[in-house]
PDB file of all heavy atoms in Angstrom:
ATOM      1  N   ASN A 152       4.290 -38.105   0.534  1.00  0.00           N
ATOM      2  CA  ASN A 152       4.564 -39.539   0.350  1.00  0.00           C
ATOM      3  C   ASN A 152       4.543 -40.287   1.676  1.00  0.00           C
ATOM      4  O   ASN A 152       4.010 -41.402   1.767  1.00  0.00           O
ATOM      5  CB  ASN A 152       5.915 -39.722  -0.337  1.00  0.00           C
ATOM      6  CG  ASN A 152       5.890 -39.287  -1.782  1.00  0.00           C
ATOM      7  OD1 ASN A 152       4.852 -39.328  -2.441  1.00  0.00           O
ATOM      8  ND2 ASN A 152       7.027 -38.846  -2.298  1.00  0.00           N
ATOM      9  N   LYS A 153       5.127 -39.672   2.701  1.00  0.00           N
ATOM     10  CA  LYS A 153       5.138 -40.317   4.019  1.00  0.00           C
ATOM     11  C   LYS A 153       3.726 -40.422   4.581  1.00  0.00           C
ATOM     12  O   LYS A 153       3.347 -41.448   5.176  1.00  0.00           O
ATOM     13  CB  LYS A 153       6.018 -39.502   4.970  1.00  0.00           C
ATOM     14  CG  LYS A 153       6.244 -40.151   6.318  1.00  0.00           C
ATOM     15  CD  LYS A 153       7.116 -41.393   6.211  1.00  0.00           C
ATOM     16  CE  LYS A 153       7.427 -41.957   7.580  1.00  0.00           C
ATOM     17  NZ  LYS A 153       8.259 -43.176   7.503  1.00  0.00           N
ATOM     18  N   LEU A 154       2.923 -39.386   4.387  1.00  0.00           N
ATOM     19  CA  LEU A 154       1.551 -39.399   4.887  1.00  0.00           C
ATOM     20  C   LEU A 154       0.712 -40.435   4.148  1.00  0.00           C
ATOM     21  O   LEU A 154      -0.082 -41.163   4.764  1.00  0.00           O
ATOM     22  CB  LEU A 154       0.936 -38.011   4.731  1.00  0.00           C
ATOM     23  CG  LEU A 154      -0.446 -37.791   5.356  1.00  0.00           C
ATOM     24  CD1 LEU A 154      -0.387 -38.006   6.861  1.00  0.00           C
ATOM     25  CD2 LEU A 154      -0.961 -36.389   5.034  1.00  0.00           C
ATOM     26  N   ARG A 155       0.897 -40.531   2.841  1.00  0.00           N
ATOM     27  CA  ARG A 155       0.169 -41.552   2.068  1.00  0.00           C
ATOM     28  C   ARG A 155       0.550 -42.957   2.518  1.00  0.00           C
ATOM     29  O   ARG A 155      -0.323 -43.836   2.664  1.00  0.00           O
ATOM     30  CB  ARG A 155       0.458 -41.379   0.580  1.00  0.00           C
ATOM     31  CG  ARG A 155      -0.260 -40.210  -0.069  1.00  0.00           C
ATOM     32  CD  ARG A 155       0.095 -40.130  -1.539  1.00  0.00           C
ATOM     33  NE  ARG A 155      -0.657 -39.073  -2.219  1.00  0.00           N
ATOM     34  CZ  ARG A 155      -0.494 -38.752  -3.498  1.00  0.00           C
ATOM     35  NH1 ARG A 155       0.381 -39.425  -4.247  1.00  0.00           N
ATOM     36  NH2 ARG A 155      -1.213 -37.788  -4.030  1.00  0.00           N
ATOM     37  N   ALA A 156       1.839 -43.193   2.746  1.00  0.00           N
ATOM     38  CA  ALA A 156       2.287 -44.517   3.193  1.00  0.00           C
ATOM     39  C   ALA A 156       1.707 -44.845   4.563  1.00  0.00           C
ATOM     40  O   ALA A 156       1.295 -45.991   4.814  1.00  0.00           O
ATOM     41  CB  ALA A 156       3.812 -44.552   3.234  1.00  0.00           C
ATOM     42  N   SER A 157       1.649 -43.854   5.431  1.00  0.00           N
ATOM     43  CA  SER A 157       1.105 -44.084   6.763  1.00  0.00           C
ATOM     44  C   SER A 157      -0.379 -44.406   6.708  1.00  0.00           C
ATOM     45  O   SER A 157      -0.856 -45.332   7.380  1.00  0.00           O
ATOM     46  CB  SER A 157       1.344 -42.847   7.640  1.00  0.00           C
ATOM     47  OG  SER A 157       0.760 -43.002   8.912  1.00  0.00           O
ATOM     48  N   LEU A 158      -1.124 -43.657   5.882  1.00  0.00           N
ATOM     49  CA  LEU A 158      -2.556 -43.912   5.765  1.00  0.00           C
ATOM     50  C   LEU A 158      -2.829 -45.265   5.111  1.00  0.00           C
ATOM     51  O   LEU A 158      -3.772 -45.974   5.495  1.00  0.00           O
ATOM     52  CB  LEU A 158      -3.212 -42.786   4.958  1.00  0.00           C
ATOM     53  CG  LEU A 158      -3.221 -41.400   5.618  1.00  0.00           C
ATOM     54  CD1 LEU A 158      -3.802 -40.366   4.676  1.00  0.00           C
ATOM     55  CD2 LEU A 158      -3.989 -41.426   6.929  1.00  0.00           C
ATOM     56  N   ALA A 159      -2.005 -45.641   4.121  1.00  0.00           N
ATOM     57  CA  ALA A 159      -2.171 -46.955   3.479  1.00  0.00           C
ATOM     58  C   ALA A 159      -1.922 -48.077   4.472  1.00  0.00           C
ATOM     59  O   ALA A 159      -2.626 -49.099   4.485  1.00  0.00           O
ATOM     60  CB  ALA A 159      -1.227 -47.065   2.289  1.00  0.00           C
ATOM     61  N   TRP A 160      -0.906 -47.894   5.317  1.00  0.00           N
ATOM     62  CA  TRP A 160      -0.629 -48.903   6.330  1.00  0.00           C
ATOM     63  C   TRP A 160      -1.774 -49.012   7.325  1.00  0.00           C
ATOM     64  O   TRP A 160      -2.153 -50.110   7.753  1.00  0.00           O
ATOM     65  CB  TRP A 160       0.661 -48.554   7.052  1.00  0.00           C
ATOM     66  CG  TRP A 160       1.026 -49.551   8.125  1.00  0.00           C
ATOM     67  CD1 TRP A 160       1.665 -50.748   7.968  1.00  0.00           C
ATOM     68  CD2 TRP A 160       0.753 -49.429   9.525  1.00  0.00           C
ATOM     69  NE1 TRP A 160       1.815 -51.372   9.183  1.00  0.00           N
ATOM     70  CE2 TRP A 160       1.265 -50.584  10.158  1.00  0.00           C
ATOM     71  CE3 TRP A 160       0.146 -48.449  10.305  1.00  0.00           C
ATOM     72  CZ2 TRP A 160       1.182 -50.781  11.522  1.00  0.00           C
ATOM     73  CZ3 TRP A 160       0.052 -48.640  11.666  1.00  0.00           C
ATOM     74  CH2 TRP A 160       0.566 -49.805  12.265  1.00  0.00           C
ATOM     75  N   LYS A 161      -2.355 -47.889   7.703  1.00  0.00           N
ATOM     76  CA  LYS A 161      -3.478 -47.898   8.636  1.00  0.00           C
ATOM     77  C   LYS A 161      -4.694 -48.623   8.045  1.00  0.00           C
ATOM     78  O   LYS A 161      -5.429 -49.312   8.750  1.00  0.00           O
ATOM     79  CB  LYS A 161      -3.865 -46.458   9.006  1.00  0.00           C
ATOM     80  CG  LYS A 161      -2.886 -45.772   9.958  1.00  0.00           C
ATOM     81  CD  LYS A 161      -2.960 -46.373  11.346  1.00  0.00           C
ATOM     82  CE  LYS A 161      -2.059 -45.612  12.313  1.00  0.00           C
ATOM     83  NZ  LYS A 161      -2.111 -46.207  13.672  1.00  0.00           N
ATOM     84  N   ARG A 162      -4.900 -48.440   6.752  1.00  0.00           N
ATOM     85  CA  ARG A 162      -6.040 -49.111   6.115  1.00  0.00           C
ATOM     86  C   ARG A 162      -5.831 -50.624   6.047  1.00  0.00           C
ATOM     87  O   ARG A 162      -6.781 -51.399   6.128  1.00  0.00           O
ATOM     88  CB  ARG A 162      -6.257 -48.532   4.715  1.00  0.00           C
ATOM     89  CG  ARG A 162      -6.916 -47.153   4.713  1.00  0.00           C
ATOM     90  CD  ARG A 162      -7.390 -46.785   3.328  1.00  0.00           C
ATOM     91  NE  ARG A 162      -6.270 -46.611   2.420  1.00  0.00           N
ATOM     92  CZ  ARG A 162      -5.697 -45.421   2.168  1.00  0.00           C
ATOM     93  NH1 ARG A 162      -6.150 -44.341   2.771  1.00  0.00           N
ATOM     94  NH2 ARG A 162      -4.695 -45.330   1.319  1.00  0.00           N
ATOM     95  N   GLN A 163      -4.580 -51.054   5.853  1.00  0.00           N
ATOM     96  CA  GLN A 163      -4.294 -52.487   5.784  1.00  0.00           C
ATOM     97  C   GLN A 163      -4.400 -53.145   7.147  1.00  0.00           C
ATOM     98  O   GLN A 163      -4.846 -54.296   7.268  1.00  0.00           O
ATOM     99  CB  GLN A 163      -2.895 -52.710   5.201  1.00  0.00           C
ATOM    100  CG  GLN A 163      -2.781 -52.315   3.736  1.00  0.00           C
ATOM    101  CD  GLN A 163      -1.363 -52.461   3.213  1.00  0.00           C
ATOM    102  OE1 GLN A 163      -0.464 -52.841   3.958  1.00  0.00           O
ATOM    103  NE2 GLN A 163      -1.166 -52.162   1.941  1.00  0.00           N
ATOM    104  N   GLU A 164      -3.988 -52.424   8.172  1.00  0.00           N
ATOM    105  CA  GLU A 164      -4.050 -52.966   9.524  1.00  0.00           C
ATOM    106  C   GLU A 164      -5.445 -52.714  10.093  1.00  0.00           C
ATOM    107  O   GLU A 164      -5.727 -51.672  10.679  1.00  0.00           O
ATOM    108  CB  GLU A 164      -2.979 -52.318  10.412  1.00  0.00           C
ATOM    109  CG  GLU A 164      -1.560 -52.621   9.989  1.00  0.00           C
ATOM    110  CD  GLU A 164      -1.199 -54.078  10.239  1.00  0.00           C
ATOM    111  OE1 GLU A 164      -1.784 -54.682  11.171  1.00  0.00           O
ATOM    112  OE2 GLU A 164      -0.344 -54.603   9.518  1.00  0.00           O
ATOM    113  N   THR A 165      -6.314 -53.658   9.897  1.00  0.00           N
ATOM    114  CA  THR A 165      -7.701 -53.463  10.326  1.00  0.00           C
ATOM    115  C   THR A 165      -7.826 -53.341  11.833  1.00  0.00           C
ATOM    116  O   THR A 165      -8.781 -52.734  12.344  1.00  0.00           O
ATOM    117  CB  THR A 165      -8.570 -54.640   9.853  1.00  0.00           C
ATOM    118  OG1 THR A 165      -7.993 -55.865  10.327  1.00  0.00           O
ATOM    119  CG2 THR A 165      -8.638 -54.672   8.335  1.00  0.00           C
ATOM    120  N   THR A 166      -6.867 -53.913  12.565  1.00  0.00           N
ATOM    121  CA  THR A 166      -6.934 -53.843  14.019  1.00  0.00           C
ATOM    122  C   THR A 166      -6.379 -52.539  14.572  1.00  0.00           C
ATOM    123  O   THR A 166      -6.568 -52.236  15.747  1.00  0.00           O
ATOM    124  CB  THR A 166      -6.153 -55.010  14.640  1.00  0.00           C
ATOM    125  OG1 THR A 166      -4.777 -54.966  14.190  1.00  0.00           O
ATOM    126  CG2 THR A 166      -6.769 -56.337  14.239  1.00  0.00           C
ATOM    127  N   ALA A 167      -5.663 -51.795  13.701  1.00  0.00           N
ATOM    128  CA  ALA A 167      -5.062 -50.546  14.164  1.00  0.00           C
ATOM    129  C   ALA A 167      -6.142 -49.479  14.313  1.00  0.00           C
ATOM    130  O   ALA A 167      -6.974 -49.297  13.438  1.00  0.00           O
ATOM    131  CB  ALA A 167      -3.993 -50.072  13.186  1.00  0.00           C
ATOM    132  N   VAL A 168      -6.116 -48.822  15.441  1.00  0.00           N
ATOM    133  CA  VAL A 168      -7.092 -47.773  15.721  1.00  0.00           C
ATOM    134  C   VAL A 168      -6.412 -46.416  15.528  1.00  0.00           C
ATOM    135  O   VAL A 168      -5.352 -46.150  16.114  1.00  0.00           O
ATOM    136  CB  VAL A 168      -7.637 -47.892  17.159  1.00  0.00           C
ATOM    137  CG1 VAL A 168      -8.625 -46.759  17.446  1.00  0.00           C
ATOM    138  CG2 VAL A 168      -8.292 -49.253  17.349  1.00  0.00           C
ATOM    139  N   VAL A 169      -7.025 -45.580  14.700  1.00  0.00           N
ATOM    140  CA  VAL A 169      -6.489 -44.244  14.464  1.00  0.00           C
ATOM    141  C   VAL A 169      -6.908 -43.347  15.612  1.00  0.00           C
ATOM    142  O   VAL A 169      -8.104 -43.159  15.868  1.00  0.00           O
ATOM    143  CB  VAL A 169      -7.008 -43.677  13.128  1.00  0.00           C
ATOM    144  CG1 VAL A 169      -6.445 -42.281  12.899  1.00  0.00           C
ATOM    145  CG2 VAL A 169      -6.627 -44.601  11.977  1.00  0.00           C
ATOM    146  N   THR A 170      -5.938 -42.825  16.330  1.00  0.00           N
ATOM    147  CA  THR A 170      -6.235 -41.985  17.483  1.00  0.00           C
ATOM    148  C   THR A 170      -6.611 -40.579  17.032  1.00  0.00           C
ATOM    149  O   THR A 170      -6.365 -40.175  15.887  1.00  0.00           O
ATOM    150  CB  THR A 170      -5.026 -41.924  18.420  1.00  0.00           C
ATOM    151  OG1 THR A 170      -3.932 -41.278  17.725  1.00  0.00           O
ATOM    152  CG2 THR A 170      -4.597 -43.317  18.845  1.00  0.00           C
ATOM    153  N   SER A 171      -7.197 -39.827  17.977  1.00  0.00           N
ATOM    154  CA  SER A 171      -7.569 -38.449  17.663  1.00  0.00           C
ATOM    155  C   SER A 171      -6.334 -37.600  17.377  1.00  0.00           C
ATOM    156  O   SER A 171      -6.376 -36.692  16.545  1.00  0.00           O
ATOM    157  CB  SER A 171      -8.364 -37.846  18.824  1.00  0.00           C
ATOM    158  OG  SER A 171      -7.583 -37.853  20.024  1.00  0.00           O
ATOM    159  N   GLY A 172      -5.228 -37.907  18.072  1.00  0.00           N
ATOM    160  CA  GLY A 172      -4.000 -37.162  17.819  1.00  0.00           C
ATOM    161  C   GLY A 172      -3.486 -37.392  16.408  1.00  0.00           C
ATOM    162  O   GLY A 172      -3.016 -36.460  15.748  1.00  0.00           O
ATOM    163  N   GLU A 173      -3.564 -38.623  15.926  1.00  0.00           N
ATOM    164  CA  GLU A 173      -3.118 -38.928  14.566  1.00  0.00           C
ATOM    165  C   GLU A 173      -4.019 -38.253  13.534  1.00  0.00           C
ATOM    166  O   GLU A 173      -3.546 -37.750  12.512  1.00  0.00           O
ATOM    167  CB  GLU A 173      -3.094 -40.433  14.356  1.00  0.00           C
ATOM    168  CG  GLU A 173      -2.006 -41.142  15.150  1.00  0.00           C
ATOM    169  CD  GLU A 173      -2.120 -42.648  15.050  1.00  0.00           C
ATOM    170  OE1 GLU A 173      -3.246 -43.140  14.821  1.00  0.00           O
ATOM    171  OE2 GLU A 173      -1.100 -43.335  15.189  1.00  0.00           O
ATOM    172  N   ARG A 174      -5.327 -38.245  13.806  1.00  0.00           N
ATOM    173  CA  ARG A 174      -6.241 -37.561  12.887  1.00  0.00           C
ATOM    174  C   ARG A 174      -5.963 -36.052  12.870  1.00  0.00           C
ATOM    175  O   ARG A 174      -6.032 -35.412  11.823  1.00  0.00           O
ATOM    176  CB  ARG A 174      -7.682 -37.838  13.292  1.00  0.00           C
ATOM    177  CG  ARG A 174      -8.146 -39.270  13.032  1.00  0.00           C
ATOM    178  CD  ARG A 174      -9.653 -39.372  13.097  1.00  0.00           C
ATOM    179  NE  ARG A 174     -10.146 -39.021  14.427  1.00  0.00           N
ATOM    180  CZ  ARG A 174     -10.386 -39.910  15.387  1.00  0.00           C
ATOM    181  NH1 ARG A 174     -10.149 -41.202  15.168  1.00  0.00           N
ATOM    182  NH2 ARG A 174     -10.846 -39.519  16.562  1.00  0.00           N
ATOM    183  N   ARG A 175      -5.656 -35.513  14.030  1.00  0.00           N
ATOM    184  CA  ARG A 175      -5.358 -34.084  14.105  1.00  0.00           C
ATOM    185  C   ARG A 175      -4.085 -33.754  13.336  1.00  0.00           C
ATOM    186  O   ARG A 175      -4.019 -32.768  12.612  1.00  0.00           O
ATOM    187  CB  ARG A 175      -5.238 -33.662  15.571  1.00  0.00           C
ATOM    188  CG  ARG A 175      -5.015 -32.163  15.746  1.00  0.00           C
ATOM    189  CD  ARG A 175      -5.142 -31.732  17.198  1.00  0.00           C
ATOM    190  NE  ARG A 175      -4.203 -32.450  18.062  1.00  0.00           N
ATOM    191  CZ  ARG A 175      -4.544 -33.373  18.946  1.00  0.00           C
ATOM    192  NH1 ARG A 175      -5.814 -33.725  19.064  1.00  0.00           N
ATOM    193  NH2 ARG A 175      -3.628 -33.950  19.702  1.00  0.00           N
ATOM    194  N   GLU A 176      -3.056 -34.595  13.496  1.00  0.00           N
ATOM    195  CA  GLU A 176      -1.809 -34.380  12.761  1.00  0.00           C
ATOM    196  C   GLU A 176      -2.032 -34.467  11.256  1.00  0.00           C
ATOM    197  O   GLU A 176      -1.493 -33.684  10.484  1.00  0.00           O
ATOM    198  CB  GLU A 176      -0.765 -35.415  13.206  1.00  0.00           C
ATOM    199  CG  GLU A 176      -0.139 -35.131  14.544  1.00  0.00           C
ATOM    200  CD  GLU A 176       0.707 -33.877  14.525  1.00  0.00           C
ATOM    201  OE1 GLU A 176       1.417 -33.649  13.530  1.00  0.00           O
ATOM    202  OE2 GLU A 176       0.633 -33.105  15.489  1.00  0.00           O
ATOM    203  N   ALA A 177      -2.860 -35.426  10.819  1.00  0.00           N
ATOM    204  CA  ALA A 177      -3.144 -35.564   9.394  1.00  0.00           C
ATOM    205  C   ALA A 177      -3.878 -34.348   8.853  1.00  0.00           C
ATOM    206  O   ALA A 177      -3.594 -33.865   7.750  1.00  0.00           O
ATOM    207  CB  ALA A 177      -3.958 -36.832   9.146  1.00  0.00           C
ATOM    208  N   ALA A 178      -4.834 -33.834   9.647  1.00  0.00           N
ATOM    209  CA  ALA A 178      -5.591 -32.665   9.208  1.00  0.00           C
ATOM    210  C   ALA A 178      -4.701 -31.437   9.117  1.00  0.00           C
ATOM    211  O   ALA A 178      -4.780 -30.666   8.153  1.00  0.00           O
ATOM    212  CB  ALA A 178      -6.756 -32.409  10.164  1.00  0.00           C
ATOM    213  N   VAL A 179      -3.848 -31.240  10.122  1.00  0.00           N
ATOM    214  CA  VAL A 179      -2.924 -30.093  10.104  1.00  0.00           C
ATOM    215  C   VAL A 179      -1.961 -30.207   8.928  1.00  0.00           C
ATOM    216  O   VAL A 179      -1.692 -29.231   8.217  1.00  0.00           O
ATOM    217  CB  VAL A 179      -2.152 -30.011  11.436  1.00  0.00           C
ATOM    218  CG1 VAL A 179      -1.055 -28.953  11.347  1.00  0.00           C
ATOM    219  CG2 VAL A 179      -3.093 -29.684  12.575  1.00  0.00           C
TER     220      VAL A 179
END
Side-chain angles (χ1 to χ4, degrees):
N152 290 332
K153 187 69 175 179
L154 187 61
R155 285 180 176 177
S157 176
L158 293 176
W160 180 82
K161 286 290 184 181
R162 284 193 294 266
Q163 292 176 359
E164 295 290 332
T165 55
T166 58
V168 178
V169 180
T170 64
S171 60
E173 291 173 334
R174 289 196 298 266
R175 184 170 58 251
E176 284 294 320
V179 172

